[in-house]
């Protein structure tokens, strides 16, 4: 989408809007001078996939994002700052990254799920040093086996060991910082599950917009530019002198379930969006996106029942409503009969409290 068409605010929260111009000709709102980056060479348009449609439903399904979501997404884009999204499980925090990527046609979302074992290096790149050593050893053995006998004819030299770039794989974070013309969308999911040092480790990276790949730095005198694997399926990208530098700072969506506190220095460099539980209108849009009008008259009652169960259970995830809707439209249950024992038993099984102890209490 041409940013000028919306007075410099690219995200409108209405769904996908096809760009008015090809990727190479599209404009993007300028960021602050101190958040400008000049990486290169500029890469072609990133690939796309159907993950957004799978998660969100068809692109033409109506949706009206809350004003606060639109405001903060646009602010994060204009300021080139990460957006920290908080809220209870199931409110759609991760889905926001896919809505942004689809509406702004920025290609597939780069997903970096965080666990207690996640490190900054694992998000940037991986180097298969053992694989490269084995490749070099195999080449050396092949050379010895094809050496000519004394006085014999020379034997053609076999191919040299595989290039080092074949053993370097950029992670989702590392791929997001490649010099694309337009920003990639990076989803850092459940960052609060990571090591306590991870938020601080991200600070310098987000400020500077570049990182080095030491294995490539060490060979830059022999190989000024090396082509490496990226986090996109079948993707490759050139890296010059072992340095990856952004050109358009990525749209970074970091989700948190509020399981820990973050350092002040980290929070100061982020914008924060707290997502509330969806209301009746939001749930209706969610159902329509995935089921169109297949629910018919059942939709209103299903939403009322879900909200009632959610209040009694101290909150239910929205995807639990989708599960119930799928069962209701499968033809296997008589949902119209609210007193049907089998249906009520199924609802009790799929609409369980988020804390898992059956009490609905979170403490």
């Amino acid at each position: 989408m041409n940013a000028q068409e919306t007075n410099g605010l690219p995200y409108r929260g209405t769904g996908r809007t096809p760009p008015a111009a090809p990727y190479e000709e599209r404009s993007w709102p300028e960021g602050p001078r101190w958040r400008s980056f000049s990486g290169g060479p500029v890469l072609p348009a990133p690939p796309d996939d159907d993950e957004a449609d799978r998660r969100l439903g068809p692109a033409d399904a109506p949706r009206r994002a809350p004003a606060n979501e639109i405001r903060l997404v646009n602010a994060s884009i204009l300021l080139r700052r990460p957006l920290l999204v908080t809220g209870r499980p199931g409110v759609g925090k991760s889905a926001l990254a896919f809505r942004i990527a689809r509406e702004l046609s920025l290609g597939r979302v780069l997903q970096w799920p965080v666990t207690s074992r996640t490190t900054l290096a694992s998000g940037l790149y991986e180097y298969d040093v053992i694989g490269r050593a084995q490749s070099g050893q195999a080449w050396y053995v092949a050379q010895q086996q094809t050496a000519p006998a004394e006085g014999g004819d020379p034997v053609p030299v076999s191919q040299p060991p595989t290039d080092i770039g074949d053993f370097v794989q950029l992670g989702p974070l590392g791929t997001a910082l490649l010099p694309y013309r337009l920003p990639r969308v990076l989803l850092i999911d459940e960052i609060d599950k990571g090591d306590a040092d991870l938020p601080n480790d991200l600070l310098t990276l987000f400020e500077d917009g570049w990182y080095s790949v030491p294995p490539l730095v060490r060979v830059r005198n022999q190989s000024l530019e090396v082509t490496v694997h990226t986090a996109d399926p079948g993707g490759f990208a050139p890296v010059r002198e072992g340095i990856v530098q952004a050109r358009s700072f990525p749209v970074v969506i970091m989700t948190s379930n509020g399981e820990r506190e973050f350092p002040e220095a980290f929070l100061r460099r982020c914008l924060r969006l707290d997502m509330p539980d969806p209301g009746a209108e939001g749930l209706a849009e969610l159902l329509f996106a995935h089921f169109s009008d297949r629910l018919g008259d059942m939709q209103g009652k299903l939403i009322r029942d879900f909200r009632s169960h959610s209040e009694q259970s101290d909150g239910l995830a929205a995807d639990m409503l989708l599960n119930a809707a799928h069962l209701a439209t499968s033809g296997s249950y008589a949902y119209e009969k609210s007193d049907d024992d089998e249906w009520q038993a199924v609802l009790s099984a799929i609409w369980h409290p988020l804390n898992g102890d059956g009490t609905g209490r979170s403490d």
Side-chain angles (χ1 to χ4, degrees):
M1 177 177 59
N2 191 319
Q4 295 176 351
E5 294 176 359
T6 55
N7 298 320
L9 299 179
Y11 182 68
R12 297 183 294 176
T14 58
R16 186 170 187 174
T17 302
Y23 180 88
E24 294 76 12
E25 301 175 10
R26 291 166 57 193
S27 63
W28 192 252
E30 293 186 3
R33 180 182 56 81
W34 56 91
R35 298 291 294 158
S36 298
F37 306 95
S38 57
V42 181
L43 299 181
D48 208 343
D49 60 19
D50 59 357
E51 186 66 9
D53 289 346
R54 185 183 73 83
R55 287 173 174 256
L56 306 176
D60 57 356
R63 183 184 185 278
R64 292 177 295 278
N68 196 40
E69 174 186 311
I70 298 172
R71 182 183 305 116
L72 286 170
V73 168
N74 282 313
S76 70
I77 290 174
L78 293 172
L79 295 174
R80 309 305 198 255
R81 292 294 183 184
L83 184 61
L84 179 62
V85 186
T86 58
R88 294 202 299 184
V91 297
K93 300 187 296 293
S94 300
L96 176 59
F98 294 89
R99 291 200 297 272
I100 295 171
R102 186 167 72 176
E103 180 176 319
L104 303 184
S105 299
L106 295 176
R108 66 184 296 271
V109 173
L110 294 163
Q111 302 180 62
W112 188 26
V114 174
T115 69
S116 60
R117 299 179 300 277
T118 298
T119 63
L120 180 65
S122 66
L124 292 176
Y125 73 92
E126 293 182 354
Y127 175 46
D128 185 5
V129 62
I130 295 178
R132 190 177 185 222
Q134 291 174 337
S135 176
Q137 179 65 22
W139 176 80
Y140 177 79
V141 171
Q143 290 292 90
Q144 298 302 310
Q145 292 175 345
T146 58
E150 184 175 352
D153 295 332
V155 177
V157 178
S158 63
Q159 292 293 322
T162 307
D163 187 85
I164 186 175
D166 287 338
F167 301 96
V168 176
Q169 169 87 52
L170 301 187
L173 176 59
T175 300
L177 290 171
L178 285 168
Y180 290 99
R181 187 179 181 279
L182 299 179
R184 295 296 299 268
V185 177
L186 171 66
L187 171 61
I188 304 179
D189 213 6
E190 298 189 325
I191 189 173
D192 48 348
K193 292 185 179 297
D195 184 87
D197 293 331
L198 181 60
N200 282 330
D201 291 342
L202 287 168
L203 290 181
T204 299
L205 185 72
F206 285 159
E207 285 298 304
D208 298 340
W210 71 274
Y211 66 95
S212 65
V213 184
L216 303 186
V217 173
R218 288 194 289 268
V219 301
R220 61 185 174 182
N221 290 334
Q222 295 79 35
S223 301
L224 183 65
E225 181 175 288
V226 177
T227 299
V228 301
H229 300 272
T230 71
D232 292 314
F236 297 90
V239 176
R240 293 182 61 85
E241 301 187 46
I243 302 296
V244 175
Q245 184 172 21
R247 189 174 187 87
S248 290
F249 190 79
V251 179
V252 181
I253 303 298
M254 302 182 295
T255 71
S256 168
N257 291 329
E259 297 180 3
R260 57 178 293 184
E261 295 293 329
F262 295 105
E264 290 186 6
F266 176 76
L267 294 176
R268 191 172 67 249
R269 291 167 172 83
C270 301
L271 298 180
R272 302 181 66 176
L273 170 64
D274 185 60
M275 280 193 168
D277 293 342
E281 185 177 355
L283 294 174
E285 290 179 350
L286 178 66
L287 288 177
F288 187 85
H290 288 276
F291 296 93
S292 187
D293 56 358
R294 288 166 51 198
L295 284 165
D297 295 337
M298 291 189 294
Q299 177 169 299
K301 185 177 187 307
L302 188 62
I303 291 175
R304 290 192 297 272
D305 289 349
F306 176 79
R307 299 187 72 190
S308 176
H309 276 73
S310 182
E311 291 176 0
Q312 297 171 12
S313 304
D314 194 30
L316 297 177
D319 59 352
M320 295 178 176
L321 175 62
L322 294 178
N323 292 336
H326 175 74
L327 295 178
T329 57
S330 67
S332 301
Y333 298 93
Y335 175 64
E336 293 84 352
K337 300 178 182 179
S338 59
D339 59 345
D340 181 76
D341 292 339
E342 181 66 18
W343 174 249
Q344 294 302 322
V346 169
L347 283 186
S348 297
I350 64 176
W351 287 355
H352 53 79
L354 294 178
N355 61 1
D357 65 3
T359 66
R361 294 188 300 270
S362 57
D363 56 359

